[in-house]
Amino acid sequence: MSDTIIKAARNTSNAPQGLGPYTQTVAFSHYNNIAAQLPVDPRTGKLIEGDVKMQARQCLSNIKAIVESIDHVMDDMVKLTVFLSDIADLDAVNEVYREFFPGYVPTRTSLAVAALPLGAKVQMDAIISNGEGTYPQAPCALVKLARNSNRAPQSALSTQTVAFSHYNNIGAQLPIDAASGQLVAGGIKEQAAQCLNNIKAILEGIDVPFDDIVKVTVYLKNLADLDAVNEVYTTFFPDSAIARAAAYLPARSVIAASALPMDALVQMDAVISHGDGTPPQLVEDRHNLVIRARNTDKAPRSPLHTQTVAFSHYNHIAGQLPVDLATGKILTGCVKEQTAQCLNHIKAIVESIDHVMDDIVKVNIQLARIEDLEAVNAIYTRYFPDYQPARTVIAVRELPAGALIQMDAVMSNAESTPPQA
């Protein structure tokens, strides 16, 4: 890399340690990435006993302990993701959630998954604003901009979009009609279009082009609906003449949820480049602070996403399946071999843009079987033998083409994108 911005990887004894090969929080530039927190008592290292409310409170207490250990507060949170083993528990979790966010609420994504580590009922990860930056950046009293639009569904528990520095984070958009507050009529195509229209309305409300999206995550109740979703998706991307000329598509991950709020068939969240920055940063021309979308032939290509999209001080790597490049099919073999294949793809993408694996700040892993986690860790630690990024692990109902594992990643980008030095 061409700069000296330092990654700050930190742990505190006030939150659980030793539950896996990850760091509790990894800061780079103006963001902290917090690993998924299970309802584990840090004093015992064991899952707490009790109902989902007690477990939710423990997850949030662990996040709060991490946040406070690096001299931040919960109001510095930009995005929080809630993973449930049973979507019926969401109302109970929300009761606890309000205790930790009595005023300002960050963006949020909630979904039910097939299983969580340790058999937990709930797990949460988070992204925290980091106004002081990381060395040698000078501390800066950057303003967090939390905004809602009447043209998209509003929630008392989630802000539609929270901008900090050069990124906007949009909470999961359900296929809700803003006027009625109800799920849109129709099937999966209508629901997918509504999710994307809601995202577009939020962006238009803050004067940000749709093609400033750098990463989309699609959460599907039925993976068999993916082709129908893709048909709709391609009518939204690329959006502008400039993006069409460049054939720009954001990075993307697709996750099969066990259930979604309101029994929706699909929801989507997004990460958005924000060339304007937030005050007191100087406004950059959106078309000068460049989005760098890049692919390499050493990893699987897709007509629906770019492998890695860099903007400012971060790269966003699309979900990688264990695809054999020679055949274009899912690699035959056990979960260890498939894990290595996913990580080899990520490594190839990382190295193709002159980075190294130690530049990764967060990894997200989706497993077909939660019981495979120990085998996955045995391979994972070979790729991260010393430093370990923050990490989130879930088990999903299914993965494309019968894969056993999928991974995506967020990577630091010290050289930034032009015209930043």
Side-chain angles (χ1 to χ4, degrees):
M1 296 187 301
S2 61
D3 211 321
T4 56
I5 299 175
I6 304 299
K7 181 175 76 253
R10 293 168 287 191
N11 289 302
T12 173
S13 58
N14 293 327
Q17 298 187 75
L19 298 180
Y22 62 83
T23 302
Q24 290 169 353
T25 178
V26 180
F28 187 82
S29 188
H30 289 127
Y31 280 91
N32 283 285
N33 300 268
I34 293 183
Q37 294 302 299
L38 289 159
V40 169
D41 185 336
R43 296 169 298 179
T44 65
K46 304 294 184 182
L47 196 72
I48 66 163
E49 297 181 0
D51 62 11
V52 72
K53 285 187 179 181
M54 295 178 68
Q55 290 202 6
R57 188 171 289 108
Q58 188 67 53
C59 291
L60 286 161
S61 294
N62 290 342
I63 289 174
K64 189 170 187 280
I66 294 168
V67 167
E68 292 177 348
S69 75
I70 54 175
D71 298 323
H72 280 258
V73 295
M74 291 292 273
D75 273 4
D76 290 333
M77 192 172 295
V78 170
K79 168 86 186 285
L80 190 140
T81 304
V82 179
F83 301 97
L84 296 164
S85 61
D86 186 346
I87 199 68
D89 286 336
L90 184 56
D91 286 345
V93 169
N94 286 341
E95 288 183 37
V96 177
Y97 192 82
R98 291 184 180 93
E99 299 172 12
F100 289 80
F101 299 101
Y104 159 76
V105 287
T107 67
R108 194 176 80 162
T109 294
S110 302
L111 65 150
V113 297
L116 294 168
L118 303 180
K121 299 177 187 296
V122 61
Q123 172 180 262
M124 303 182 195
D125 66 14
I127 302 171
I128 308 293
S129 61
N130 190 47
E132 65 269 29
T134 51
Y135 182 85
Q137 292 175 316
C140 183
L142 293 173
V143 175
K144 184 171 77 262
L145 297 177
R147 293 171 286 189
N148 289 302
S149 166
N150 290 329
R151 293 176 53 204
Q154 296 194 28
S155 168
L157 293 165
S158 175
T159 301
Q160 290 171 353
T161 179
V162 178
F164 189 80
S165 186
H166 286 125
Y167 275 94
N168 281 288
N169 295 268
I170 292 185
Q173 292 303 301
L174 287 159
I176 295 172
D177 176 80
S180 68
Q182 303 299 314
L183 288 181
V184 67
I188 185 63
K189 288 186 178 181
E190 289 79 10
Q191 290 200 13
Q194 189 66 45
C195 293
L196 288 160
N197 279 323
N198 288 343
I199 290 174
K200 196 166 191 179
I202 292 167
L203 292 180
E204 289 173 351
I206 56 174
D207 192 29
V208 172
F210 197 69
D211 283 317
D212 280 358
I213 295 174
V214 297
K215 172 76 187 294
V216 175
T217 303
V218 179
Y219 304 90
L220 282 174
K221 185 176 179 181
N222 301 301
L223 201 55
D225 286 336
L226 183 56
D227 286 345
V229 170
N230 287 341
E231 187 177 333
V232 174
Y233 192 85
T234 53
T235 67
F236 283 80
F237 296 102
D239 183 61
S240 67
I242 292 173
R244 286 192 293 272
Y248 171 68
L249 292 164
R252 192 178 80 159
S253 293
V254 176
I255 295 174
S258 295
L260 296 170
M262 299 182 69
D263 201 28
L265 299 176
V266 61
Q267 72 177 4
M268 302 183 198
D269 62 22
V271 182
I272 317 295
S273 63
H274 186 53
D276 294 351
T278 52
Q281 289 176 321
L282 296 177
V283 174
E284 302 276 4
D285 181 85
R286 288 194 183 102
H287 301 296
N288 277 340
L289 191 53
V290 177
I291 291 175
R292 279 191 166 168
R294 291 172 286 191
N295 290 301
T296 174
D297 290 332
K298 294 181 179 180
R301 287 175 176 257
S302 169
L304 292 161
H305 68 248
T306 302
Q307 290 168 353
T308 179
V309 179
F311 184 80
S312 188
H313 287 129
Y314 278 92
N315 281 285
H316 300 265
I317 296 177
Q320 297 299 305
L321 287 162
V323 173
D324 184 335
L325 288 179
T327 65
K329 306 293 185 182
I330 297 295
L331 184 75
T332 57
C334 68
V335 72
K336 287 186 175 182
E337 292 167 317
Q338 291 199 13
T339 299
Q341 190 74 356
C342 291
L343 286 163
N344 283 334
H345 292 331
I346 290 174
K347 189 170 186 282
I349 294 166
V350 166
E351 292 177 350
S352 75
I353 53 175
D354 298 322
H355 280 256
V356 295
M357 292 292 276
D358 272 5
D359 291 333
I360 292 176
V361 296
K362 175 79 188 294
V363 175
N364 299 300
I365 300 176
Q366 298 92 48
L367 294 170
R369 301 188 297 253
I370 200 67
E371 57 266 28
D372 284 340
L373 183 54
E374 187 175 345
V376 169
N377 285 341
I379 303 300
Y380 186 87
T381 51
R382 298 178 190 174
Y383 290 79
F384 301 102
D386 299 311
Y387 155 75
Q388 278 118 22
R391 194 175 78 163
T392 293
V393 177
I394 58 174
V396 294
R397 194 161 41 81
E398 59 178 324
L399 288 164
L404 300 176
I405 186 168
Q406 175 178 255
M407 299 185 193
D408 64 25
V410 181
M411 186 171 69
S412 61
N413 189 50
E415 66 270 30
S416 190
T417 51
Q420 290 184 334

